[in-house]
């Protein structure tokens, strides 16, 4: 024991000393010379790599200085994060290649086209895209990028020169600048002069929401396919502009882990990924093994992580003729931490990332021709596949909602998928497609595999475990109508760039303005109108006026008796129509077929003041999605109310309070306070775990369905898989909706696909009118769910609303705002906010 303690102390002293004397040499290959004219990181950022956590601004200064000093490097800024940080990309290759870079790029892009099927690739450089720390609190990647970029700029000798002659390296030093900055600030502000590896130190216990995510708390390593965030947009443009052969994604995992590199779990590779992709990944892996063996670092492969969901950085490339590689380093989280593998220092974690960044380009150079050929073959096969589908197209649209269909088309555009307009209105299998709101995607194109991955429904799987979601079928997420068509005669011209959405308004009237509720951005319009103090009503039933039919939830703005006159109202509403890209219709009469405009069938709406519970106990992803929805999509002010100061907050000003998915809810006093507020007329909206909390605290009376799962013939070894298979990690299910209920205003179909990543099942209410959204008897549309759980899901209800005193309690068992790309269910939350009082 004494001995052990002594060696532990020695080890700590050694590692502490190591950090005191930390030098760049710790990371760099030592048998070569370095160009003295290239600034070292410490020359620019004022500290050694690994001594402090680099802040993003310092990272930027260094990369700019390197680009200035080295003729191997060019630098570009590809946009801004939500917090206005630049999204940098360094292009690194030999000075000779730099002079010829656009030709190299052009030749390289040809490989993945039909025309480039047979071009000679033997002398072309390989393109390697290396990206770091997409999770901001996994900082060893971005900190390694400092040393690595220095190495690429300054290393001398035949080895590096050969690599640079044969490679174009796209270096993205920080995939997540806002998260990196947030985490660096946390780790640095808690650093002691006497480094303390005690994992209990505050340095290693970040406060909510932590640095993993971006500004709106999104996990950006799920957005490579949906591309909803600015950081992803920049990355995807770079990807398609270069079609890299290898893309690496440097992460961190738990402190007690070692180092992981792909390939991952063999049975969990998406079937659209060719087998040879995994073989090449494994061959590249031999270079990582060698590099890590050399510095004595432990590692593993072919376990834990998978290659299934194409929205991840290491899996997305596999769908595009490239090879995506995930690295995971056991995290020191701050500067130094005790772990099962001894004292884990921050510099040690950086060195492993450096070593594998380098082994990646060594593998790239050695396997260059093989990997370029793989890419060529991938697109040769894809083109053949496309030609077999030459007469087939997918048509999608929403004849009541131009914006939703447009935003789906926007993803296609970002992913360089070709699509066309619809030349005439069409009806396919009973679905009506309006030409202004519809798009046609011909399958005969090189990106056929991307299209398949986005549009297919899949319900059978080899494995029952998933690292992430098992389904993401985009037309279901957008709730658009879609059909695959054969020899379709109505294909219009190709859309090379989407024209921006537009709104319109009729002539000035002295009577009333109307707009239906179906368009995606109607809540934005309604909120702006209410904020202006204008009286607005909503129609509870459909009606017809001037020969045009208006659906449930039509918004009506009378002209008379407003605070502004008819001219000012028209001007104001025309701005609203443009900003919200909706069509506002002016009418000169209140006489309709159905409810007249003065009828009690129109209910007056109130200005909303909404708060969202955030902080400890609340799921930060779910909370962030809601914040993003309000702020970025609908321009609605949202108060982020921290659960920690809830008890000290006066709630009177709020009309609605949202509780995102939570594992804790509020404390007893908080619950009582919230209940009093609801009883006085507030609307509380709880998601997922919050529905259980609201039930437990007697805000609402729900009956949950539970299964009695017992393991039969399951060995201890199989235990984890047995429980893992019961997880509903993310799949899509069919619900039947009652369109006359205010929660469903703005939905034109009787069915609505819902995203679900929970195992919360609620019995339907005994009165059918209280079940306006109900899972069908055969609800699985796409993705994986255990049989036992599917049984529970059938005919259960994901939504309930009940009164409490003068107030309203609303619950959703499912996330209607998932990852900013589930446009199809965003309106449910808006309906709960604006129409909650009518339910
Ligand atoms: Zn990560």
């Amino acid at each position: 024991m004494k001995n052990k303690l002594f060696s532990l102390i020695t080890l700590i002293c050694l590692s502490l000393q190591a950090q005191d004397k930390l030098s760049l040499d710790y990371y760099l290959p030592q048998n070569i010379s370095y160009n003295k004219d290239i600034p070292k990181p410490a020359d620019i950022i004022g500290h050694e790599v690994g001594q402090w956590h680099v802040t993003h601004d310092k990272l930027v200064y260094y990369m700019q200085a390197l680009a200035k000093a080295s003729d191997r490097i060019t630098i570009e800024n590809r946009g801004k994060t939500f917090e206005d940080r630049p999204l940098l990309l360094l292009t690194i290759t030999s000075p000779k290649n730099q002079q010829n870079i656009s030709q190299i790029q052009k030749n390289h892009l040809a490989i993945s086209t039909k025309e480039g099927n047979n071009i000679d690739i033997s002398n072309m450089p390989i393109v390697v895209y290396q990206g770091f720390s997409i999770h901001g609190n996994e900082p060893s990647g971005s900190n390694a990028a400092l040393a690595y970029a220095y190495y690429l700029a300054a290393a001398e000798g035949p080895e590096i020169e050969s690599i640079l002659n044969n490679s174009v390296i796209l270096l993205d030093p920080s995939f997540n600048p806002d998260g990196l900055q947030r985490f660096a600030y946390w780790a640095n502000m808690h650093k002691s002069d006497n480094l303390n590896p005690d994992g209990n130190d505050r340095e290693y216990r970040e406060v909510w929401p932590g640095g993993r995510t971006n500004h709106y708390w999104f996990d950006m390593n799920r957005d490579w396919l949906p591309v909803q965030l600015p950081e992803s947009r920049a990355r995807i443009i770079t990807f398609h502009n270069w079609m890299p052969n290898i893309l690496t994604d440097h992460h961190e995992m738990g402190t007690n882990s070692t180092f992981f590199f792909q390939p991952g779990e063999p049975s969990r590779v998406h079937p659209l990924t060719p087998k040879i992709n995994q073989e090449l990944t494994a061959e590249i892996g031999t270079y990582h093994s060698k590099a890590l063996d050399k510095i004595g670092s432990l590692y593993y492969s072919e376990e834990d992580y998978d290659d299934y969901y194409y929205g991840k950085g290491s899996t997305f490339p596999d769908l595009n003729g490239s090879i995506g590689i995930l690295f995971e380093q056991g995290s020191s989280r701050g500067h130094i931490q005790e772990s099962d593998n001894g004292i884990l220092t921050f510099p040690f974690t950086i060195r492993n990332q450096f070593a594998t960044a380098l082994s990646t380009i060594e593998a790239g150079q050695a396997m260059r021709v093989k990997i370029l050929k793989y890419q060529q073959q991938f697109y040769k096969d894809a083109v053949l596949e496309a030609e077999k589908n030459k007469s087939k197209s997918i048509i999608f649209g929403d004849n009541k909602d131009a914006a939703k269909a447009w935003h789906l088309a926007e993803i296609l555009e970002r992913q360089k998928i070709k699509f066309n307009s619809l030349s005439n209105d069409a009806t396919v299998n009973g679905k009506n497609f309006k030409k202004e709101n519809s798009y046609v995607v011909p399958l005969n194109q090189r990106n056929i595999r991307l299209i398949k991955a986005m549009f297919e429904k899949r319900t059978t799987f080899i494995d029952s475990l998933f690292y992430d979601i098992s389904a993401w079928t985009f037309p279901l997420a957008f709730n658009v109508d879609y059909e695959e068509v054969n020899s379709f005669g109505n294909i219009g011209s190709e859309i090379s760039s989407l024209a921006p959405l537009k709104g319109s308004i009729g002539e000035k009237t002295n009577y009333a303005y109307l707009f239906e509720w179906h368009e995606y951005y109607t809540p934005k319009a309604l909120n702006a109108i209410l904020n202006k103090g204008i009286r607005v009503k909503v129609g509870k039933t459909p009606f017809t006026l001037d020969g045009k039919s208006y659906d449930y939830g039509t918004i009506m703005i009378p002209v008379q008796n407003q605070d502004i006159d008819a001219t000012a109202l028209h001007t104001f509403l025309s701005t609203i129509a443009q900003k919200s890209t909706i069509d506002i219709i002016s009418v000169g009469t209140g006489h309709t077929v159905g409810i007249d405009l003065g009828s009690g069938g129109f209910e007056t709406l109130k200005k909303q003041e909404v708060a969202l519970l955030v902080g400890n106990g609340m799921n930060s992803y779910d909370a962030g999605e809601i914040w993003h929805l309000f702020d970025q999509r609908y321009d609605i002010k949202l108060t982020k109310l921290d659960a920690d100061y809830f008890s000290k907050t006066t709630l009177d000003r709020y009309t609605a309070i949202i509780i995102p998915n939570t594992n804790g809810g509020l404390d007893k006093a908080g619950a009582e306070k919230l209940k009093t507020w609801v009883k006085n007329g507030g609307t509380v909206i709880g998601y997922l775990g919050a529905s259980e909390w609201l039930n437990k605290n007697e805000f609402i009376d729900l009956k949950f369905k539970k299964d009695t799962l017992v393991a039969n013939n399951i060995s201890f070894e199989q235990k984890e898989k047995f429980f893992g298979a019961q997880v509903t990690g993310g799949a899509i299910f069919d619900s039947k909706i009652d369109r006359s209920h205010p929660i469903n205003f703005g939905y034109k179909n009787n069915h609505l696909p819902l995203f679900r990543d929970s195992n919360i099942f609620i019995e339907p209410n005994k009165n059918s009118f209280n079940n306006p959204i109900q899972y069908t008897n055969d609800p699985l549309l796409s993705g994986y769910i255990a049989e036992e759980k599917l049984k529970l899901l059938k005919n259960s209800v994901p939504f309930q609303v009940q009164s409490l005193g003068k107030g309203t309690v609303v619950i959703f068992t499912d996330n209607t705002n998932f990852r900013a790309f589930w446009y199809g269910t965003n309106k449910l939350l808006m309906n709960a906010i604006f129409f909650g009082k009518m339910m």
Side-chain angles (χ1 to χ4, degrees), residues 1 13 34 86 172 306 344 375 397 431 437 471 658 743 768 822:
M1 188 64 203
C13 293
Y34 290 89
D172 198 328
D306 74 12
L344 182 61
Q375 185 177 41
K431 294 175 186 166
N437 296 8
I658 306 168
I743 194 67
S768 59
W822 262 82

Side-chain angles (χ1 to χ4, degrees), residues 140 251-259 328-332 344 349:
S140 54
H251 288 248
E252 290 184 2
M253 54 182 164
T255 303
N256 291 322
S257 327
T258 59
F259 190 92
E328 295 274 355
Q329 163 66 50
S331 183
S332 65
L344 182 61
T349 65

Side-chain angles (χ1 to χ4, degrees), residues 32 54 100 110 121 123 135 143 180 184 240 259 295 362 398 402 413 502 527 628 637 668 702 744 748 769 779-780:
I32 55 164
V54 74
N100 201 20
I121 45 94
N123 291 316
H135 297 138
N143 283 273
L180 184 77
H240 289 297
F259 190 92
I295 54 174
E362 282 165 2
D398 186 320
E413 188 175 50
K502 271 195 208 128
N527 184 65
H628 174 267
K637 253 183 253 157
K668 201 126 199 90
L702 304 169
N744 295 320
K748 71 174 179 58
F769 51 77
L780 179 61

Side-chain angles (χ1 to χ4, degrees), residues 134-135 138 212 221 250-253 326-328 467:
I134 196 162
H135 297 138
E138 300 174 3
R212 176 182 175 88
N221 196 32
H250 291 257
H251 288 248
E252 290 184 2
M253 54 182 164
L326 171 69
F327 295 119
E328 295 274 355
Y467 187 80

Side-chain angles (χ1 to χ4, degrees), residues 188-397:
N188 290 339
M189 73 184 255
H190 290 98
K191 185 186 176 191
S192 302
D193 224 21
N194 296 290
L195 293 183
N196 185 354
D198 178 358
N200 293 328
D201 193 279
R202 194 164 190 256
E203 178 173 347
Y204 314 110
R205 306 287 172 117
E206 278 182 278
V207 287
W208 197 97
R212 176 182 175 88
T213 47
N214 79 344
H215 178 76
Y216 287 100
W217 312 333
F218 282 95
D219 182 336
M220 288 199 300
N221 196 32
R222 303 294 183 268
D223 193 41
W224 291 73
L225 197 58
V227 226
Q228 294 301 308
L229 306 168
E231 298 90 345
S232 327
R233 242 168 273 159
R235 288 198 306 269
I236 292 303
I237 290 173
T238 302
F239 188 93
H240 289 297
N241 278 349
W242 269 104
M243 297 303 287
N245 299 96
I246 300 175
L247 186 149
T248 54
D249 189 19
H250 291 257
H251 288 248
E252 290 184 2
M253 54 182 164
T255 303
N256 291 322
S257 327
T258 59
F259 190 92
F260 167 87
F261 54 83
Q262 273 182 330
E265 186 69 56
S267 62
R268 283 151 51 188
V269 177
H270 198 288
L272 285 172
T273 297
K275 247 205 175 78
I276 177 170
N277 167 290
Q278 295 292 301
E279 290 162 18
L280 291 168
T281 306
E283 192 177 332
I284 294 170
T286 61
Y287 290 82
H288 308 320
S289 310
K290 232 184 296 165
L292 294 166
D293 286 342
K294 209 161 134 189
I295 54 174
S297 292
L298 292 173
Y299 56 85
Y300 71 101
S301 193
E302 292 178 314
E303 287 177 63
D304 291 354
Y305 299 94
D306 74 12
D307 242 337
Y308 195 86
Y309 172 48
Y310 284 121
K312 288 188 301 173
S314 51
T315 309
F316 174 78
D318 303 341
L319 186 58
N320 292 281
S322 174
I323 300 162
I325 292 176
L326 171 69
F327 295 119
E328 295 274 355
Q329 163 66 50
S331 183
S332 65
R333 210 57 76 189
H335 290 87
I336 188 169
Q337 223 187 128
E338 291 161 3
S339 85
D340 285 356
N341 299 299
I343 296 292
L344 182 61
T345 69
F346 184 40
F348 175 80
T349 65
I350 295 171
R351 188 170 63 156
N352 288 338
Q353 303 280 21
F354 180 94
T356 46
L358 193 51
S359 57
T360 299
I361 52 169
E362 282 165 2
Q365 138 142 308
M367 296 168 64
R368 180 179 60 87
V369 174
K370 198 188 269 190
I371 293 175
L372 286 167
K373 271 201 178 133
Y374 165 70
Q375 185 177 41
Q376 194 170 37
Q377 191 62 43
F378 182 97
Y379 281 100
K380 216 178 211 171
D381 295 344
V383 166
L384 282 177
E385 210 174 309
E387 278 165 4
K388 273 189 213 145
N389 288 280
K390 138 164 118 216
S391 57
K392 286 187 187 149
S393 304
I394 295 168
I395 175 169
F396 70 88

